[in-house]
Amino acid sequence: MRMDSTQASTRVDPVTLEVIRHGIVSVTDQIDANITRTAFSPYIYEYKDYAVGMTDETGRLVAQCNGGMPIFVADAVGSAVRDGLKLYGPERLHEGDVIICNAPGVQGQHLNNTVMYTPIYAGTPRELIGFFAVNMHWIDIGGAAVGSASYSSTDIFMEGIQYRTVKIWSKGEPIEEVLRIIEDNTRFPLELMGDIEAQLAGCLLGRDLTRNLAEKFGIATYRAAIDLILDRCEAAIRARIARIPDGVYSAESFLDNDGVRDMRIPIKIKVVVAGDDMTIDYSDISPEVQGCINSGYHGGGVTTARVAFMYLIAAGEPANEGTFRPLKLVLPPGKIVSAKPTAPMGMYGTPFPTIVDTIIKALEPALPERVTGAHFGTYSSVGFTGRRPDGSFFNCHDSGHGGWGACATHDGAGPFRTMAHGDTRIIPMELQETLYPYRYERLSLRPDSGGPGRFRGGLGFVKHYRILTPCALRTNLDRTGCAPWGVCGGGAGATGRVTVMRDGASIDANKSDGLALHPNDLVVVETGGGGGYGRPEERPIEAVQRDLRSGLVSADSARGDYGVVLAPDGSARRTRDF
């Protein structure tokens, strides 16, 4: 912990502490909302593929927005800021500078994820008190594929341009040469540059609001409050871990393949609880693979560990460096989540939901009241690319939302995006149909997709796209072999699939990398459900009856999974041979 003699002698009264504690998060939430209002591409203003964060002057995570993508802030923002401090040093960072970074050796995610940050100077004389950052998915940064992510990439250089800690503003003035390079390395200059303006405005306003907050109470008080907030978060989390029985807990699962080789990708995790420390050990996870589902140490291993930790251990606490102090990692280099910087990373997040699920599964014996069944656990993304009649490119990225696992108190939720996505949303159908060459014919819940149990897993959905003009389909759906498991006796949820219907024939398209679509083709997406919690025979008959009436489970599932049948008068009973 950093604390100089001035801070050590500064006491923060409880009211001021609470105002600052809520104030820093409020600033990030306000910028989150502003970006939604001002961005140019639906990928940002509807889907919300970005997140907002704040660090102190050393790069420690201080606050992040309540919405946004959790994997964007967990460690990516801090690692980008620390790289800037390493390369520039405080003496070459100035008020009014704005820096971008998407380097795989720094953040360890695909090149689209670009952190933009600016130093926060406050007080008289000026002191560096932190950095304000927005990590945004840039919709296209060149590379071989539209949108910059493709299973055909064999190294990071095929996936677009790299910006390792580059200033785009210096002392309050834009650097036109760098901005021209950015604009000339995308297929969507209007949309991307508009998104970047929203990102820039967010950084600058967030900087000013944070500075105002610090100056309102005094720099010494602000610094002391930040240290106290982090320390209290650490103490709260250590108390929670200390209540878990010491031990080594393990679990394993797998991905279908890496998009290149038809072989399973093992996900093996150990969780070690010792006193008030928790260690997540990735030693036995898959090595780096040929396909583009790799990630680096910070953007992969650290990020997945922190996201799982927040769900299972630190729920209700703010995400900051203090909260994560009790969390340790064992992560050798060369793993799928600690790959070398030149490894292909275009679809880096593909393993993340399964890794998070597996960490939670490992602690089932120790925390049966906290664990959940697995969620559908795959991006289930669907993209359409091509050219409009005027020759301009289009690239639509739609989302597969599925069921989440049940827990000890209620049925699973959903359909939602994965645990790696936060509050990313479905782009409204009306907007998609206006901008892109297809029409929706169906969006409905998928009956029987939730795993059976005392509490049922959440349901996936079924979505139909009717293609109007020629285009290409890109999909990324996994976990068809590793079903979303149940816990504490619960059953598994259904797996997902993507199918193209053409002239009465069906084409499997779970992982397609530019499948040519023809007019009148029907793309059918069925997402998976969540795993159940507890033995199915313990589910109240009234709950099964309600699910039957609502169409969430079929009569066959009620009979086969729960041993419940409906009489002609609508009453329900359990069969003797269940």
Side-chain angles (χ1 to χ4, degrees):
M1 181 182 72
R2 168 202 43 77
M3 183 175 286
D4 59 27
S5 57
T6 302
Q7 291 169 256
S9 63
T10 301
R11 298 184 62 85
V12 185
D13 69 82
V15 174
T16 298
L17 179 66
E18 285 302 292
V19 171
I20 293 175
R21 183 170 72 89
H22 288 280
I24 55 178
V25 177
S26 175
V27 170
T28 61
D29 284 343
Q30 180 174 335
I31 300 309
D32 178 356
N34 282 358
I35 290 172
T36 299
R37 293 190 303 107
T38 57
F40 273 45
S41 71
Y43 211 76
I44 305 302
Y45 66 75
E46 290 289 354
Y47 183 68
K48 289 178 65 70
D49 204 346
Y50 64 90
V52 182
M54 181 194 309
T55 77
D56 71 0
E57 71 276 13
T58 67
R60 295 186 306 174
L61 181 64
V62 168
Q64 70 179 60
C65 61
N66 285 304
M69 296 274 281
I71 61 173
F72 276 20
V73 182
D75 197 43
V77 163
S79 59
V81 168
R82 290 190 294 271
D83 193 61
L85 289 167
K86 174 184 175 182
L87 292 180
Y88 290 119
E91 65 278 358
R92 294 172 61 203
L93 287 171
H94 309 288
E95 192 163 8
D97 287 356
V98 180
I99 302 101
I100 59 170
C101 184
N102 72 344
V106 177
Q107 286 132 244
Q109 298 182 353
H110 70 182
L111 300 179
N112 302 75
N113 293 356
T114 304
V115 176
M116 181 186 293
Y117 61 95
T118 187
I120 307 169
Y121 287 88
T124 305
R126 287 302 211 214
E127 297 181 43
L128 178 63
I129 64 168
F131 296 85
F132 201 89
V134 177
N135 191 358
M136 181 180 288
H137 179 111
W138 287 9
I139 56 175
D140 180 79
I141 48 168
V146 179
S148 313
S150 169
Y151 275 115
S152 63
S153 64
T154 58
D155 58 42
I156 199 70
F157 304 103
M158 295 179 66
E159 297 177 355
I161 188 168
Q162 300 179 43
Y163 301 100
R164 170 151 180 221
T165 307
V166 175
K167 290 186 181 183
I168 62 168
W169 276 46
S170 177
K171 300 180 181 179
E173 295 294 331
I175 302 175
E176 300 293 345
E177 293 83 358
V178 176
L179 292 171
R180 281 202 302 273
I181 291 171
I182 295 171
E183 186 172 10
D184 288 340
N185 277 278
T186 177
R187 299 168 178 85
F188 310 104
L190 177 64
E191 294 93 333
L192 177 61
M193 299 310 289
D195 287 347
I196 289 173
E197 287 295 319
Q199 189 178 15
L200 173 66
C203 285
L204 299 181
L205 179 58
R207 173 200 65 190
D208 294 346
L209 292 173
T210 306
R211 181 184 62 227
N212 293 344
L213 180 67
E215 291 179 341
K216 177 179 180 179
F217 296 101
I219 305 305
T221 298
Y222 175 82
R223 289 184 185 276
I226 295 300
D227 282 329
L228 190 54
I229 290 166
L230 300 189
D231 289 347
R232 288 190 173 183
C233 287
E234 177 185 5
I237 297 304
R238 288 195 180 279
R240 295 185 189 184
I241 296 173
R243 292 194 289 268
I244 303 172
D246 285 1
V248 179
Y249 305 95
S250 61
E252 58 183 273
S253 59
F254 62 89
L255 301 177
D256 295 342
N257 52 62
D258 67 354
V260 175
R261 299 171 300 165
D262 189 17
M263 57 186 296
R264 289 180 174 179
I265 309 300
I267 307 295
K268 298 181 179 181
I269 304 290
K270 285 193 295 188
V271 180
V272 181
V273 178
D276 58 3
D277 280 325
M278 177 176 288
T279 301
I280 297 179
D281 187 343
Y282 291 100
S283 297
D284 297 324
I285 203 169
S286 168
E288 177 185 316
V289 295
Q290 292 182 21
C292 62
I293 62 173
N294 303 289
S295 55
Y297 181 92
H298 292 284
V302 175
T303 292
T304 50
R306 287 186 169 189
V307 170
F309 190 72
M310 286 298 297
Y311 276 113
L312 193 57
I313 306 298
E317 290 293 325
N320 60 42
E321 215 67 44
T323 296
F324 297 128
R325 282 177 191 156
L327 177 63
K328 318 298 181 188
L329 255 67
V330 176
L331 180 53
K335 299 294 185 178
I336 195 173
V337 287
S338 60
K340 62 181 179 290
T342 56
M345 298 185 188
M347 297 185 181
Y348 75 101
T350 298
F352 285 12
T354 302
I355 292 172
V356 172
D357 265 348
T358 308
I359 293 170
I360 293 172
K361 180 183 181 182
L363 285 164
E364 179 181 353
L367 295 171
E369 76 286 354
R370 287 286 302 157
V371 298
T372 62
H375 71 323
F376 72 115
T378 172
Y379 276 30
S380 305
S381 54
V382 181
F384 301 92
T385 61
R387 290 182 182 269
R388 297 184 176 89
D390 64 1
S392 64
F393 285 100
F394 67 84
N395 179 36
C396 170
H397 179 94
D398 201 15
S399 309
H401 291 51
W404 282 36
C407 67
T409 58
H410 56 266
D411 291 346
F416 292 144
R417 207 69 170 100
T418 78
M419 289 186 180
H421 283 88
D423 70 344
T424 51
R425 306 177 301 199
I426 295 176
I427 299 174
M429 290 181 173
E430 297 82 359
L431 180 61
Q432 292 189 56
E433 291 180 338
T434 300
L435 297 175
Y436 307 115
Y438 52 79
R439 293 290 179 266
Y440 283 100
E441 293 190 352
R442 178 181 177 184
L443 175 60
S444 65
L445 293 174
R446 184 183 177 195
D448 296 340
S449 55
R454 183 171 78 230
F455 294 103
R456 172 186 44 74
L459 271 61
F461 67 36
V462 180
K463 186 183 285 189
H464 290 184
Y465 307 79
R466 181 67 68 179
I467 305 304
L468 303 180
T469 62
C471 57
L473 174 68
R474 292 166 54 201
T475 63
N476 183 25
L477 186 145
D478 207 288
R479 289 280 290 275
T480 64
C482 184
W485 55 82
V487 293
C488 301
T495 60
R497 61 190 173 194
V498 180
T499 309
V500 176
M501 307 300 298
R502 178 182 298 162
D503 299 328
S506 63
I507 304 169
D508 293 335
N510 289 338
K511 286 185 179 174
S512 62
D513 203 359
L515 174 67
L517 295 177
H518 306 155
N520 207 43
D521 284 354
L522 185 70
V523 179
V524 179
V525 178
E526 299 168 273
T527 61
Y533 185 101
R535 293 158 57 90
E537 57 265 37
E538 296 173 353
R539 186 167 179 80
I541 289 179
E542 295 78 13
V544 179
Q545 194 173 13
R546 183 177 63 246
D547 286 349
L548 277 165
R549 285 198 299 264
S550 302
L552 306 181
V553 301
S554 65
D556 287 344
S557 173
R559 183 185 304 108
D561 293 326
Y562 296 100
V564 173
V565 295
L566 283 181
D569 63 0
S571 63
R573 64 181 178 85
R574 276 210 157 88
T575 59
R576 292 182 179 178
D577 58 347
F578 180 76

